Amino acid sequence: MVIAALFTFSTMQAQFRFGIKGGANISKVKFSKEVFKSDNITGFHIGPAAEVTTGQGGIGFDAAVLYTQRGFNSGEKKVKNSYLDVPVNIKFKFGLPLVNPYLSAGPYASFRVAGDKVWDVKTVDGVKDQVRAKSFGAGLNFTAGAELFGSVQLGVTYSLGLTDDFKTFQAGDPKSYRGKPHTWMISASVFF
């Protein structure tokens, strides 16, 4: 698909646009074993965005550098870190006037830039666990949205973490349980 899209861009006039993207996150971490109850936590994301399209409809690409907050709520403690996320997506616009629906999907890389690396959290049986955050993560984004009046995009993204961004280490037990982030993002982008 990427080769076909690049060939299409070389034969058609591509449009480059830059803008800003921001919105809310609802994230949760799913561990390989339920050592403690993990609930949703809210955060935000904001940063510059770019888009390359072949016009009103068709295949294009978008990318961004987003300051993002993710984590989970263990009931006793909220675990929240800040990341620089770099998503790169293939985007398909349907080409309708005024309200132009689109779908996009692609990988993202995530770099932890702020927040604690280690927390003490009580498990389901009352034992203390240490939760450690990793510095790098990666995953896939799936987005559905609509562009309004050719410059404002509203979208809903599901981010599926593919790497273990968190690990738990129970006191006296060398076995660790891994946690992958799952995040819903509601975004608005304005392109100039």
Side-chain angles (χ1 to χ4, degrees):
M1 275 181 75
V2 172
I3 293 172
L6 290 174
F7 179 76
T8 303
F9 283 132
S10 66
T11 58
M12 298 180 144
Q13 178 141 13
Q15 294 179 345
F16 290 91
R17 299 190 307 169
F18 295 96
I20 188 161
K21 181 175 186 174
N25 299 343
I26 302 169
S27 65
K28 181 178 183 177
V29 175
K30 292 186 181 175
F31 286 90
S32 56
K33 181 182 175 187
E34 189 174 334
V35 277
F36 56 86
K37 190 171 171 25
S38 171
D39 289 325
N40 293 334
I41 193 168
T42 57
F44 68 90
H45 60 276
I46 190 164
E51 180 183 72
V52 180
T53 60
T54 57
Q56 184 72 4
I59 293 179
F61 294 95
D62 69 18
V65 177
L66 301 174
Y67 178 85
T68 305
Q69 292 182 322
R70 277 195 308 273
F72 59 92
N73 186 352
S74 72
E76 168 194 280
K77 188 175 285 196
K78 289 184 180 181
V79 174
K80 188 185 283 189
N81 280 333
S82 298
Y83 298 86
L84 270 185
D85 283 356
V86 183
V88 178
N89 300 306
I90 294 176
K91 182 182 273 186
F92 178 77
K93 290 186 179 178
F94 289 89
L96 301 177
L98 296 178
V99 178
N100 188 0
Y102 68 86
L103 297 172
S104 67
Y108 72 85
S110 186
F111 306 91
R112 186 172 58 82
V113 293
D116 293 335
K117 186 171 173 125
V118 179
W119 297 270
D120 288 330
V121 177
K122 282 187 185 170
T123 62
V124 178
D125 18 356
V127 180
K128 283 251 187 201
D129 260 4
Q130 272 196 344
V131 177
R132 295 184 186 189
K134 290 191 172 181
S135 296
F136 174 78
L140 295 173
N141 286 329
F142 304 95
T143 304
E147 183 172 282
L148 307 173
F149 309 111
S151 62
V152 176
Q153 292 181 0
L154 303 174
V156 176
T157 301
Y158 177 69
S159 291
L160 173 65
L162 297 178
T163 57
D164 300 319
D165 290 5
F166 296 91
K167 280 188 176 183
T168 65
F169 295 90
Q170 198 169 35
D173 185 359
K175 193 174 181 182
S176 64
Y177 303 106
R178 293 158 174 76
K180 292 180 174 36
H182 298 266
T183 306
W184 285 96
M185 301 168 71
I186 301 166
S187 303
S189 303
V190 178
F191 288 96
F192 309 107

